[in-house]
């Protein structure tokens, strides 16, 4: 059995987590609720194209992450506790990046239109922060449980 690849397990699952959160965003907010497109500063056709490109990137990231996960499993180097931490870090990183960079700095889109977006922004970014904090707590816990005790 190989030595677990702790940083790689965390990175691979952070990629998967970001892809999963992108999928949730795309499916729920872009398709089911129809609140926005990835790029809303042009025509509806361009918005739909941008959603397709986001969906393509999310699927490619998910497939790549799963192949990397399979490689870790094949080499018996998967560190499950670090992978769980990475998953939550990826979820939170995507959520917060989307909320701060895409929504506010670049203004590619807003969460919703025709309403006061303040509560939506707070909820969106707070969810990202909570996911990041959960990932950080899991990472600290994983680091403590895998470090040999000093005697």
């Amino acid at each position: 059995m190989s030595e677990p690849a702790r940083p790689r397990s965390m990175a691979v699952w952070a990629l998967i987590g970001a892809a999963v959160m992108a999928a949730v965003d795309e499916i729920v907010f872009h398709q089911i609720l129809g609140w926005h497109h990835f790029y809303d500063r042009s025509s509806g056709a361009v918005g739909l194209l941008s959603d397709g490109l986001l969906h393509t990137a999310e699927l490619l990231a998910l497939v790549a992450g799963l192949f990397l996960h399979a490689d870790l499993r094949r080499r018996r180097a998967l560190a499950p506790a670090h992978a769980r931490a990475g998953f939550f870090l990826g979820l939170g990183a995507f959520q917060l990046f989307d909320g701060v960079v895409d929504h506010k700095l670049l203004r590619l889109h807003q969460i919703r239109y025709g309403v006061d977006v303040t509560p939506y922004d707070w909820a969106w970014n707070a969810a990202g922060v909570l996911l990041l904090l959960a990932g950080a707590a899991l990472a600290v816990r994983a680091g403590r449980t895998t470090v040999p005790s000093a005697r």
Side-chain angles (χ1 to χ4, degrees):
M1 178 189 236
S2 297
E3 176 68 22
R6 293 174 184 98
R8 185 161 185 226
S9 294
M10 192 177 292
V12 164
W13 275 89
L15 175 64
I16 292 170
V20 166
M21 188 54 77
V24 168
D25 180 24
E26 171 70 26
I27 292 165
V28 174
F29 296 99
H30 298 219
Q31 295 173 5
I32 294 173
L33 295 174
W35 283 359
H36 63 262
H37 295 291
F38 180 70
Y39 184 72
D40 272 339
R41 299 179 70 183
S42 186
S43 67
V46 170
L48 193 57
L49 172 66
S50 70
D51 285 348
L53 294 173
L54 173 63
H55 196 56
T56 301
E58 157 248 310
L59 281 173
L60 289 172
L62 185 59
V63 168
L66 292 174
F67 271 99
L68 293 168
H69 168 80
D71 180 59
L72 283 169
R73 293 280 310 245
R74 181 188 58 77
R75 293 185 297 111
R76 297 182 182 187
L78 180 67
H82 289 78
R84 279 189 294 278
F87 181 69
F88 279 91
L89 290 169
L91 292 171
F94 178 86
Q95 185 82 3
L96 203 54
F97 181 88
D98 187 44
V100 173
V101 176
D102 294 341
H103 296 178
K104 296 302 163 200
L105 296 177
L106 298 177
R107 298 194 172 274
L108 298 177
H109 61 264
Q110 290 299 317
I111 298 170
R112 230 179 142 180
Y113 293 96
V115 298
D116 177 15
V117 296
T118 304
Y120 293 95
D121 286 337
W122 277 101
W124 193 270
N125 292 327
V129 168
L130 289 174
L131 288 165
L132 277 174
L133 289 174
L138 288 169
V140 167
R141 182 176 175 199
R144 286 183 180 157
T145 59
T146 57
V147 173
S149 59
R151 290 193 181 223

